[in-house]
Amino acid sequence: MPISADTHVRLARPSRDLAAAERFWTDGLGLDVLYRGAPDGPGEYDLVMLGLPGAGWHLELFGGANLTVDPRPGPEDLFVLYLDGPVEDDQVTRVERAGGTRVSAGPYWDRWGIAFADPDGYRLVLCTRTWSND
């Protein structure tokens, strides 16, 4: 089957502290826990899948005692959400209280949004612009 606009997207990344990362994405951003799993065998990880019910994407974070790779976020590892409007002050406060640290994501993103580092150092940008691929 070919890739289409309805193809579901999964973004997976390691986490040193799943509880802290989950708090950032759920309490700070408002995502739901879509699934939580524990390792069934050797070499498997604890994981949590976060997103919005019915959305065509989810964020999977994996970690726990069996984690064999450290998170290695770089400055261009961005998760951008296009809000099509201003970032509300209470949203910024929620993200910071949930463990987010405000950071610069470079001149372009600093102009068009607010960036945060999550507990593992990956960057979230709440962008004031809209997205269109038309």
Side-chain angles (χ1 to χ4, degrees):
M1 175 174 274
I3 296 173
S4 74
D6 295 326
T7 301
H8 193 91
V9 175
R10 167 188 171 246
L11 175 64
R13 55 176 115 170
S15 177
R16 287 181 203 91
D17 184 341
L18 282 178
E22 180 180 328
R23 185 173 46 258
F24 173 83
W25 293 100
T26 58
D27 295 349
L29 197 58
L31 298 184
D32 291 338
V33 173
L34 303 174
Y35 177 81
R36 184 184 319 279
D40 287 333
E44 294 185 5
Y45 306 108
D46 294 314
L47 64 90
V48 61
M49 293 180 185
L50 307 162
L52 300 172
W57 60 272
H58 71 270
L59 176 62
E60 179 180 310
L61 304 175
F62 60 93
N66 295 333
L67 188 64
T68 57
V69 60
D70 281 330
R72 293 187 178 165
E76 293 297 324
D77 290 326
L78 305 175
F79 188 83
V80 179
L81 297 175
Y82 293 88
L83 303 179
D84 191 22
V87 180
E88 297 177 5
D89 291 340
D90 64 325
Q91 180 74 63
V92 172
T93 300
R94 282 194 310 273
V95 171
E96 290 175 334
R97 283 185 183 156
T101 304
R102 223 165 143 176
V103 296
S104 172
Y108 178 85
W109 294 112
D110 291 348
R111 178 179 176 198
W112 295 109
I114 299 174
F116 301 90
D118 77 2
D120 290 302
Y122 289 101
R123 294 177 182 203
L124 162 70
V125 177
L126 299 178
C127 181
T128 60
R129 299 188 82 176
T130 189
W131 169 259
S132 174
N133 61 357
D134 296 331

